[in-house]
C-alpha cells in the first residue's frame, strides 16, 4: 500500500514538473529561418502561360534568395518584428525547416498597395503548409506543392490546392455549384488534382476585422487533418491531405510553410508554432 501511494506521489510530481510544449518563434530579429523565391511581375490577362518578353522570348524567374527591390523585409512596429511583403512580384518566403503535427498562430494585415494583375481584385495572399519540392510548379509559377490557408480580404480561411495537392473538406455544395465549408451539416468532399473537382472551398463565414487591422489566424495540423481558424473562430476543417503523383494519391502530412506574395502589400508578425501529439479535443469533434 505504501509503495502504491509513493508511486502515485512520484507520478503526480513528475507530471506537474514536466515542461510544457514550447512555442517556436518563426519571426525573430532577422530572416535567418527563411528562404525566398521570386518569380515574375505578372500582368493583366495572365492565364497560366509562361511569361514572355516584348520579343516573345521566354522570361526566367528571378529565382531563389534574390531579394529584388527588397521585396521581403523585416521592419519594427511598436517594438515587434514584422515581415513586410511589398508584393510587386509573385513569390514567397518559405521556412528552411519542414514541420508536421503542430499548432501555428500568427497575425496578418494588408497594406495599401496593389499591383497588376490584382489592381481591381481583392487583396490576396496566403499561408501555405505541407510544402514539398521546388517552387514554381503551380499555376502562378511561384510556389511549391502545398495546401493553402487563404488570406484575402473578406475571404480569409478559404482553401486552395497548390499544384497537384488534394484534400477533403467538410462542406456543402451551393446552388451555384461552389463548395462552402459547413461544420455542422457538411460532409467531407474530396477536391483537388486527381479527384475530378476543383481544389477550392470557401470558408464557413467571414470573421475578419475591419480593413487595415491585424487578424489572428491559427492553423492546426495533425497527421492528415487540419483546421483553419480566424480570430478564434473555426472556418474550415480538412482531412486526407495528399497529392496526386499521376496515378495515385500520396499522403502529404509534413512540409515547409510559405508566406505568399501575390500582387499586394501584406504584413505578417508574431508567428509561432508548437508541436502537438494529438488533435486537440475541441477540434477533434469536427472529424467524427
Amino acid at each position: 500500500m505504501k509503495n502504491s501511494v509513493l508511486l502515485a506521489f512520484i507520478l503526480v510530481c513528475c507530471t506537474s514538473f514536466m515542461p510544457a510544449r514550447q512555442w517556436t518563434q518563426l519571426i525573430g530579429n532577422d530572416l535567418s529561418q527563411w528562404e525566398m523565391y521570386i518569380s515574375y511581375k505578372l500582368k493583366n490577362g495572365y492565364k497560366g502561360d509562361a511569361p514572355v518578353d516584348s520579343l516573345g522570348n521566354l522570361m526566367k524567374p528571378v529565382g531563389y534568395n534574390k531579394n529584388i527591390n527588397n521585396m521581403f523585409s523585416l521592419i519594427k512596429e511598436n517594438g515587434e518584428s514584422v515581415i513586410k511583403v511589398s508584393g510587386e512580384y509573385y513569390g514567397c518566403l518559405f521556412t528552411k525547416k519542414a514541420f508536421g503535427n503542430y499548432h501555428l498562430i500568427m497575425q496578418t494585415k494588408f497594406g495599401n498597395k496593389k499591383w497588376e494583375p490584382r489592381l481591381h481584385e481583392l487583396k490576396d495572399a496566403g499561408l501555405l503548409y505541407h510544402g514539398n519540392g521546388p517552387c514554381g510548379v503551380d499555376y502562378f509559377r511561384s510556389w511549391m506543392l502545398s495546401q493553402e490557408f487563404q488570406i484575402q480580404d473578406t475571404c480569409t480561411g478559404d482553401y486552395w490546392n497548390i499544384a497537384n495537392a488534394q484534400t477533403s473538406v467538410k462542406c456543402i455544395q451551393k446552388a451555384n455549384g461552389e463548395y462552402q465549408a459547413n461544420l455542422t451539416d457538411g460532409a467531407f468532399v474530396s477536391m483537388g488534382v486527381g479527384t475530378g473537382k476543383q481544389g477550392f472551398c470557401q470558408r464557413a463565414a467571414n470573421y475578419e476585422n475591419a480593413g487595415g487591422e491585424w487578424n489572428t489566424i491559427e492553423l492546426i495540423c495533425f497527421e492528415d487533418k487540419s483546421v483553419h481558424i480566424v480570430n478564434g473562430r473555426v472556418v474550415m476543417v480538412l482531412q486526407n491531405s495528399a497529392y496526386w503523383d499521376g496515378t495515385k494519391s500520396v499522403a502529404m502530412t509534413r512540409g515547409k510553410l510559405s508566406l505568399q506574395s501575390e500582387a499586394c502589400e501584406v504584413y505578417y508578425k508574431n508567428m509561432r508554432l508548437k508541436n502537438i501529439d494529438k488533435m486537440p479535443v475541441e477540434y477533434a469533434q469536427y472529424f467524427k
Side-chain angles (χ1 to χ4, degrees):
M1 180 66 177
K2 288 182 179 179
N3 289 340
S4 298
V5 172
L6 179 61
L7 179 59
F9 176 76
I10 291 172
L11 288 174
V12 169
C13 289
C14 290
T15 302
S16 299
F17 289 101
M18 285 179 64
R21 291 192 180 272
Q22 298 296 309
W23 290 94
T24 298
Q25 295 289 341
L26 298 180
I27 302 176
N29 293 320
D30 55 37
L31 295 177
S32 59
Q33 298 184 73
W34 300 83
E35 295 189 80
M36 65 185 68
Y37 182 81
I38 299 176
S39 60
Y40 304 96
K41 279 187 176 182
L42 298 178
K43 300 298 183 181
N44 292 332
Y46 178 75
K47 299 296 183 183
D49 295 328
V52 296
D53 61 21
S54 58
L55 299 177
N57 299 315
L58 288 176
M59 297 172 62
K60 292 183 178 180
V62 174
Y64 290 96
N65 298 316
K66 298 176 181 178
N67 197 8
I68 189 169
N69 294 350
N70 199 32
M71 202 178 79
F72 299 108
S73 62
L74 196 68
I75 64 174
K76 290 289 185 178
E77 182 178 284
N78 298 321
E80 292 184 291
S81 295
V82 178
I83 291 176
K84 176 184 177 181
V85 181
S86 60
E88 299 101 312
Y89 289 75
Y90 274 63
C92 64
L93 274 179
F94 61 92
T95 57
K96 293 179 179 178
K97 293 183 179 180
F99 301 95
N101 295 341
Y102 57 84
H103 182 175
L104 179 146
I105 303 177
M106 62 184 287
Q107 291 175 288
T108 182
K109 71 175 181 179
F110 289 107
N112 297 319
K113 295 181 179 179
K114 294 199 293 185
W115 314 87
E116 286 190 50
R118 300 202 65 85
L119 288 172
H120 305 292
E121 305 289 339
L122 295 172
K123 294 173 183 174
D124 196 7
L127 168 65
L128 308 185
Y129 58 100
H130 296 340
N132 285 272
C135 294
V137 297
D138 63 297
Y139 175 84
F140 289 103
R141 302 170 185 269
S142 302
W143 309 308
M144 63 183 74
L145 164 66
S146 49
Q147 311 287 15
E148 180 175 355
F149 183 138
Q150 177 156 271
I151 299 169
Q152 186 184 74
D153 267 343
T154 71
C155 302
T156 295
D158 288 355
Y159 167 77
W160 282 99
N161 72 309
I162 303 296
N164 52 326
Q166 57 179 220
T167 193
S168 299
V169 184
K170 194 171 190 179
C171 61
I172 58 172
Q173 188 171 24
K174 300 190 296 184
N176 62 3
E178 294 181 348
Y179 289 91
Q180 183 170 23
N182 188 302
L183 308 179
T184 55
D185 299 323
F188 282 101
V189 176
S190 298
M191 54 186 64
V193 175
T195 69
K197 296 183 179 66
Q198 180 184 9
F200 170 70
C201 185
Q202 295 176 325
R203 78 283 180 273
N206 179 12
Y207 296 115
E208 295 169 53
N209 294 322
E213 296 183 21
W214 288 102
N215 287 290
T216 298
I217 67 173
E218 297 178 62
L219 171 66
I220 299 176
C221 295
F222 184 71
E223 296 179 343
D224 69 322
K225 299 175 175 60
S226 57
V227 181
H228 295 185
I229 304 170
V230 178
N231 292 324
R233 306 292 293 270
V234 176
V235 297
M236 184 166 294
V237 294
L238 313 92
Q239 64 182 15
N240 302 324
S241 176
Y243 69 92
W244 183 252
D245 73 354
T247 59
K248 64 183 182 303
S249 297
V250 180
M252 185 170 68
T253 60
R254 179 180 179 84
K256 297 181 178 181
L257 298 162
S258 297
L259 302 176
Q260 288 181 314
S261 172
E262 199 167 352
C264 73
E265 189 177 57
V266 60
Y267 298 85
Y268 304 98
K269 73 173 183 178
N270 201 20
M271 185 177 186
R272 57 208 187 276
L273 175 151
K274 70 176 179 180
N275 295 117
I276 58 176
D277 53 19
K278 63 180 180 180
M279 179 63 69
V281 174
E282 61 267 41
Y283 306 114
Q285 61 177 315
Y286 295 115
F287 299 95
K288 295 179 179 178

